[in-house]
Amino acid sequence: MAYRYTLELLAGIAIVAFCAMFLYTSATMSGAEFAGSDNVGSGLIAELSGRPADNFQPLIAQWEPPSGEIESCLFALQAAFGGILIGGVFGFWFGQARGRRAE
Amino acid sequence: MHIMEGFLPWQWCLIWWIIALPCLMLGIYQLKKVLDADREALPLLGVTGGFIFILSSLKLPSVTGSCSHPTGTGLSTISFGPWITAVVCAIVLLFQSLFLAHGGLSVLGANIVSMGIVGPLVGYGVYRLLRDTSVNMYVTVFLVTALADMFTYVTTSLELALAYPAETGGFVTSFILFMGIFAVTQVPLAIVEGIVLALVFKYIVALKPDILIRLKVFSEEKINAARSEC
């Protein structure tokens, strides 16, 4: 019973430590732009291949979100879809468990 | 871990697609089998898939001064195995390719191999190794999740190093350089993801232990013992 909330405590500590790490990194690391590692990786590809990054053209034509705002909207939609799935199922299971306890 | 559209030569795109396709077909076959046998597995699939949708959309800052995202594949790997996880990942990666210009259709095979196949396969190996031992169930979930996440990025580094060996030092130098960008960034994210998904697994054990027992995710004794502590 003493260890009942160990995982909750660990998750809380991990999240706080993660936030502290970000604040420390952004305050102390010069040139930290926090760009996506995908973009940094693409930069290294350009460097290794000796071709400028702009030179890499899609092999299959691709639609791109017209602005950063639209892109974040679509990312939020993706997360929302996952959230609805998780919330819906946990709610359903919670109702089932309560029903079982009531019987 | 997304390799961007156009950043992988077509020959490599083809090779990764050839590896990914049979795995996806096996995943679809297994998914049908699991759902035909037990329709109650569907909500669990929804939850585990939901975490892949959410976590792969979160770009988080890391110690290297760049951002990356967790993969969320650990729960699905433990509950349904690597092949069904590959199918769920393929859906997420297809969405991101079509609507977010993250990844792309030609490199989708490579991205599926890293996030949907190799990462979950490594996680599944760890799970099978620890499942029937006395190792705590939540420690197993943590390790599976964190390692599936880490090896996704190791695989991306490998895929890129194979396609772009450095002029001096070749594949090895290139692999180390890509690991520096992808894998090092991922270490703190993988640890936090592992702890958070272990916590989520605790709530699944508390609310729906019967489906975990029927799917033989862990032994009945282990699940009942964990449940009595919830």
Side-chain angles (χ1 to χ4, degrees):
Chain A
M1 194 59 88
Y3 299 108
R4 191 172 175 181
Y5 295 110
T6 306
L7 269 174
E8 282 82 352
L9 193 67
L10 277 175
I13 292 169
I15 290 167
V16 170
F18 189 82
C19 295
M21 177 213 72
F22 164 61
L23 292 174
Y24 179 77
T25 310
S26 68
T28 56
M29 188 184 273
S30 60
E33 292 173 352
F34 294 102
S37 61
D38 300 349
N39 293 332
V40 183
S42 300
L44 180 60
I45 293 172
E47 201 183 309
L48 286 169
S49 64
R51 289 163 58 193
D54 298 344
N55 218 325
F56 290 85
Q57 293 301 317
L59 297 179
I60 298 173
Q62 189 176 37
W63 180 80
E64 284 193 31
S67 69
E69 284 74 12
I70 304 285
E71 186 183 338
S72 19
C73 166
L74 290 166
F75 263 120
L77 275 178
Q78 183 192 324
F81 177 69
I84 289 167
L85 266 176
I86 294 163
V89 172
F90 267 102
F92 173 63
W93 284 344
F94 188 74
Q96 274 188 334
R98 201 160 56 175
R100 276 197 300 269
R101 276 198 300 271
E103 276 168 15
Chain B
M1 44 65 63
H2 296 85
I3 298 175
M4 295 299 189
E5 176 64 47
F7 278 83
L8 209 56
W10 69 267
Q11 298 91 332
W12 282 107
C13 292
L14 191 66
I15 288 170
W16 297 118
W17 263 116
I18 289 170
I19 295 171
L21 276 176
C23 300
L24 288 176
M25 285 193 279
L26 180 59
I28 291 167
Y29 168 75
Q30 283 192 348
L31 187 59
K32 190 177 175 316
K33 217 167 105 177
V34 167
L35 294 180
D36 282 348
D38 192 342
R39 293 299 290 179
E40 282 206 42
L42 192 58
L44 182 63
L45 183 71
V47 166
T48 57
F51 274 100
I52 299 177
F53 266 85
I54 287 193
L55 293 180
S56 67
S57 72
L58 290 180
K59 291 178 188 173
L60 299 166
S62 186
V63 282
T64 51
S66 56
C67 285
S68 188
H69 64 84
T71 59
T73 51
L75 283 182
S76 174
T77 299
I78 286 172
S79 308
F80 297 102
W83 314 120
I84 293 179
T85 304
V87 177
V88 182
C89 286
I91 295 168
V92 175
L93 289 167
L94 181 66
F95 173 86
Q96 292 177 336
S97 303
L98 292 178
F99 300 111
L100 293 158
H102 275 247
L105 292 177
S106 72
V107 289
L108 187 59
N111 289 331
I112 290 172
V113 168
S114 60
M115 182 173 151
I117 297 171
V118 179
L121 261 179
V122 171
Y124 191 70
V126 173
Y127 160 70
R128 289 302 298 260
L129 210 67
L130 300 179
R131 185 180 64 173
D132 301 320
T133 64
S134 59
V135 173
N136 183 289
M137 199 167 67
Y138 301 121
V139 172
T140 305
V141 177
F142 166 78
L143 287 173
V144 169
T145 303
L147 289 172
D149 183 326
M150 277 306 302
F151 273 84
T152 295
Y153 285 81
V154 171
T155 310
T156 302
S157 305
L158 184 89
E159 290 171 341
L160 289 173
L162 283 168
Y164 298 102
E167 223 165 81
T168 45
F171 164 78
V172 176
T173 303
S174 187
F175 182 60
I176 292 168
L177 287 171
F178 281 114
M179 285 279 282
I181 291 173
F182 289 108
V184 177
T185 304
Q186 204 59 22
V187 173
L189 274 66
I191 293 171
V192 177
E193 182 187 346
I195 296 173
V196 169
L197 288 191
L199 179 62
V200 171
F201 192 75
K202 177 185 164 183
Y203 295 137
I204 299 176
V205 168
L207 288 173
K208 201 67 184 168
D210 48 321
I211 189 65
L212 296 176
I213 292 167
R214 285 207 300 278
L215 289 173
K216 298 185 174 69
V217 175
F218 284 102
S219 70
E220 196 168 348
E221 294 75 34
K222 260 192 176 184
I223 288 174
N224 285 336
R227 202 178 169 217
S228 65
E229 288 168 14
C230 290

